[in-house]
């Protein structure tokens, strides 16, 4: 590892190359430039180069112009740099630059959930072979420490489930829909104007960002790699003000939940399976996640013997995300400082701390969504004729779907509006019953189908 020089009896300077000086990069630079009253090791960390796209852009942080460059390859190959901090985002060139940094023997800190969820196998295989760390606390839930607790503080537990609100934009939208009784499109437009939602909101509102994050959490909690394509993903576009109102009357709020869970052992199952999924969910008002509102995130982890542990806090923003990035930088600096990276394996690469490195090789077996056992909320618009509720009961009954409640709420557009909540049922059976119900002319529309926690 190049570039360290002694500046005192014990102090050493660790040089950081920042890739990106946007929201997170600026927050990170601000902390690194202002170490007073923070951990003393911060005084030994210096920003050596900063990679950006435009040299002319005004910057909110006071860095010498000479540190900035548009040549990001020069940063990842700079022999002086110990730690590359990738906060530029996107898939490429971020992926290639991370791999190049690793090939040069540099440790990497990244906030890039999209790149890690897609290329984690390639990146961690390369990092393990090179004997370097790739740390990613900021990639999930911004300022909330959840990666390190999963890797370290909770590692004595058998983890069974992770349930989280990990996307601030959708939580903000759902919270406002709930408070104002407004429809999705109106709140989204306002959130975009206020800067809480991107101009292209797809990654957030369609659940893709949450899917990236839950894939990372599942991988850490269950010790295997996750194929992103196997993560079931449904967003919040179809949630209406009517559903929020009915959910409220029934004692629920609607949240976009990201869930990773062990499937209880089933006789004849080929191997242990996981459910890894993102979808809007009715959450009982008494559940701890129900009161997580606005842009806040929370992650509930269930393990044996610890029980339930919930992490709550700001899931994004310059300061919170930089707090997580800097913690990772300090973790690496601490290892370098005490020389733990100089204990070598037989092949001459440094031996990695097994609690900090990600060394899973095998893929987790993810159960298809049809196998999910859950309760459902479903809203029907039906012709107001006798026998409608009986037909529903018969169709559901034929597919072993038992009903917890059936309520005819009133009339909408000349149709009877009926809300059904099921008991725990197999999703595949429930879908078959719905298909059968759709064949009846009586049922004009099924505007919403949501899972219930
Ligand atoms: N924002 C958050 O609250 C948050 C929270 C958690 C995780 N993250 C993750 O953190 C990462 C960064 O997010 P951000 O919000 O800080 O992004 P951002 O504000 O858009 O900043 C991106 C920075 O990277 C630079 N950059 C991007 N592509 C480049 C390229 N091809 N060549 C050179 N420079 C390039 C940009 O340069 P210019 O400044 O010259 O344009 C900019 O400084 C993303 O992976 C994101 O998912 C963000």
């Amino acid at each position: 590892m190049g570039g360290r020089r002694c500046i005192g009896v014990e102090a050493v300077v660790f040089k950081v190359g920042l890739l990106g000086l946007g929201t997170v990069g600026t927050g990170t630079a601000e902390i690194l430039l202002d170490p007073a009253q923070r951990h003393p090791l911060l005084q030994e960390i210096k920003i050596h180069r900063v990679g950006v796209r435009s040299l002319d852009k005004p910057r909110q942080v006071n860095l010498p112009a000479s540190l900035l460059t548009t040549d990001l390859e020069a940063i990842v190959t700079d022999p002086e740099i110990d730690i590359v901090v990738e906060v530029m985002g996107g898939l490429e060139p971020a992926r290639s630059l991370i791999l190049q940094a690793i090939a040069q023997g540099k440790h990497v800190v990244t906030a890039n959930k999209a790149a890690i969820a897609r290329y984690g196998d390639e990146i961690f295989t390369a990092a393990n072979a090179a004997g370097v760390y790739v740390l990613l606390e900021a990639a999930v839930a911004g300022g909330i420490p959840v990666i390190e607790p999963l890797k370290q503080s909770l590692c004595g537990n058998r983890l069974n489930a992770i349930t989280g609100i990990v996307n601030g934009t959708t939580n903000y939208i759902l919270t406002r829909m709930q408070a104002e009784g407004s429809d999705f499109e109106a709140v989204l437009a306002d959130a975009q104007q206020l800067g809480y939602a991107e101009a292209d909101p797809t990654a957030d509102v369609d659940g893709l960002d949450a899917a990236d994050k839950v894939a990372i959490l599942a991988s850490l909690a269950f010790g295997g790699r996750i194929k992103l394509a196997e993560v079931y993903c449904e967003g919040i576009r179809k949630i209406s003000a009517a559903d929020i109102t009915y959910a409220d009357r029934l004692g629920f709020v609607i949240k976009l939940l990201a869930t990773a869970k062990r499937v209880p052992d089933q006789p004849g199952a080929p191997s242990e399976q996981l459910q890894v999924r993102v979808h809007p969910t009715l959450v009982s008002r008494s559940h701890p996640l129900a009161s997580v509102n606005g842009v806040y995130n929370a992650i509930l982890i269930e393990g044996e013997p610890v029980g339930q542990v919930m992490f709550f806090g700001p899931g994004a923003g310059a300061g919170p995300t930089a707090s997580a990035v800097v913690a990772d930088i300090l973790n690496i600096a601490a290892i370098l400082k005490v020389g733990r990276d100089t204990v070598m394996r037989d092949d001459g690469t440094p031996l990695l701390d097994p609690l900090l490195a990600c060394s899973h090789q095998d893929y987790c077996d993810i159960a298809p969504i049809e196998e999910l056992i859950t309760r459902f909320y479903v809203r029907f618009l039906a012709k107001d004729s006798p026998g409608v509720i009986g037909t529903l009961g018969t169709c559901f009954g034929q597919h072993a779907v038992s009903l917890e409640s059936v309520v005819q709420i009133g009339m909408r557009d000349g149709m009877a509006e009926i809300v059904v909540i099921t008991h725990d049922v197999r999703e595949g059976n429930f879908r078959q019953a719905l298909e059968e119900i759709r064949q009846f002319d009586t049922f004009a529309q099924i505007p919403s189908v949501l899972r219930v926690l």
Side-chain angles (χ1 to χ4, degrees):
M1 190 64 43
R4 269 173 271 155
R5 73 194 152 84
C6 289
I7 58 168
V9 178
E10 288 184 5
V12 179
V13 167
F14 301 103
K15 292 180 179 168
V16 165
L18 265 184
L19 306 179
L21 193 60
T23 305
V24 182
T26 300
T28 302
E30 277 172 351
I31 300 178
L32 295 180
L33 294 173
D34 178 22
Q37 296 173 343
R38 306 185 207 270
H39 195 285
L41 189 52
L42 262 182
Q43 289 164 8
E44 300 177 41
I45 294 168
K46 296 283 170 277
I47 300 173
H48 187 67
R49 300 303 299 275
V50 181
V52 292
R53 205 173 352 221
S54 157
L55 292 176
D56 304 328
K57 219 179 195 176
R59 303 287 167 185
Q60 283 162 12
V61 63
N62 196 9
L63 281 169
S66 59
L67 289 194
L68 269 60
T69 175
T70 55
D71 185 356
L72 275 60
E73 267 195 50
I75 296 182
V76 297
T77 54
D78 184 335
E80 295 270 302
I81 287 174
D82 302 286
I83 305 169
V84 168
V85 177
E86 186 276 303
V87 283
M88 60 190 292
L91 298 180
E92 285 292 357
R95 167 189 156 273
S96 303
L97 290 165
I98 290 173
L99 289 171
Q100 261 183 291
I102 291 169
Q104 297 283 322
K106 300 191 190 310
H107 302 282
V108 174
V109 172
T110 178
N112 194 333
K113 60 242 150 190
I116 292 294
R118 279 159 194 79
Y119 308 124
D121 350 3
E122 187 184 16
I123 289 171
F124 288 111
T125 301
N128 292 332
V132 297
Y133 295 98
V134 175
L135 301 188
L136 59 139
E137 186 63 67
V140 180
I144 306 175
V146 64
I147 303 287
E148 195 169 299
L150 276 176
K151 284 182 179 175
Q152 303 198 343
S153 326
L154 293 169
C155 65
N157 287 272
R158 182 174 302 118
L159 298 178
N160 293 319
I162 297 181
T163 316
I165 294 172
V166 291
N167 182 271
T169 303
T170 44
N171 204 43
Y172 173 83
I173 292 173
L174 290 171
T175 303
R176 277 197 51 191
M177 286 173 72
Q178 172 96 31
E180 299 163 15
S182 319
D183 264 314
F184 170 76
E185 291 297 343
V187 178
L188 171 64
D190 204 40
Q192 285 171 315
Q193 275 214 321
L194 293 169
Y196 289 113
E198 306 264 346
D200 176 2
T202 313
D204 293 319
V205 302
D206 291 332
L208 310 174
D209 170 80
D212 289 347
K213 292 169 179 168
V214 77
I216 294 171
L217 293 177
S219 175
L220 292 169
F222 303 116
R225 293 176 174 181
I226 303 286
K227 290 191 181 121
L228 193 56
E230 294 180 359
V231 177
Y232 178 81
C233 183
E234 227 177 83
I236 64 162
R237 284 185 201 267
K238 288 192 199 148
I239 306 293
S240 67
D243 293 315
I244 297 218
T245 306
Y246 293 143
D248 186 56
R249 280 198 214 168
L250 294 163
F252 297 98
V253 292
I254 299 179
K255 295 288 182 192
L256 182 69
L257 294 190
T259 305
K261 208 170 178 177
R262 279 185 212 277
V263 177
D265 281 345
Q266 284 172 354
S271 62
E272 185 182 70
Q273 290 194 308
L274 301 179
Q275 295 162 3
V276 188
R277 54 197 162 91
V278 171
H279 50 73
T281 312
L282 268 70
V283 179
S284 162
R285 267 201 294 266
S286 61
H287 191 279
L289 288 169
S291 50
V292 175
N293 286 321
V295 293
Y296 282 95
N297 283 194
I299 297 112
L300 181 69
I301 299 179
E302 295 171 56
E304 186 276 313
V306 72
Q308 293 191 330
V309 181
M310 189 158 110
F311 298 83
F312 167 85
T321 312
S323 152
V325 168
V326 173
D328 281 346
I329 297 173
L330 283 171
N331 260 311
I332 293 170
I335 287 172
L336 298 179
K337 189 170 168 77
V338 297
R340 272 192 279 154
D341 66 321
T342 55
V343 182
M344 296 297 168
R345 297 183 283 209
D346 291 344
D347 64 4
T349 54
L351 188 62
L352 292 172
D353 175 342
L355 294 189
L356 267 190
C358 284
S359 55
H360 333 300
Q361 300 292 331
D362 300 326
Y363 282 89
C364 294
D365 185 6
I366 300 191
I369 193 75
E370 289 74 16
E371 297 303 326
L372 176 65
I373 307 290
T374 183
R375 289 195 292 161
F376 280 94
Y377 156 103
V378 51
R379 182 160 63 92
F380 296 95
L381 289 179
K383 288 181 189 155
D384 194 18
S385 53
V388 171
I389 291 185
T391 309
L392 280 182
T394 308
C395 291
F396 279 128
Q398 279 166 355
H399 293 277
V401 174
S402 68
L403 305 183
E404 187 178 294
S405 68
V406 181
V407 187
Q408 179 164 348
I409 305 263
M411 301 295 287
R412 182 183 295 267
D413 306 330
M415 298 279 174
E417 195 162 34
I418 301 165
V419 167
V420 170
I421 304 253
T422 72
H423 284 295
D424 266 339
V425 298
R426 186 181 158 275
E427 175 146 350
N429 292 24
F430 174 81
R431 288 190 188 195
Q432 283 172 359
L434 271 195
E435 260 330 292
E436 202 170 305
I437 291 166
R438 278 186 224 277
Q439 309 305 316
F440 288 86
D441 290 344
T442 332
F443 295 97
Q445 283 178 49
I446 307 179
S448 45
V449 176
L450 295 166
R451 296 169 191 82
V452 181
L453 185 65

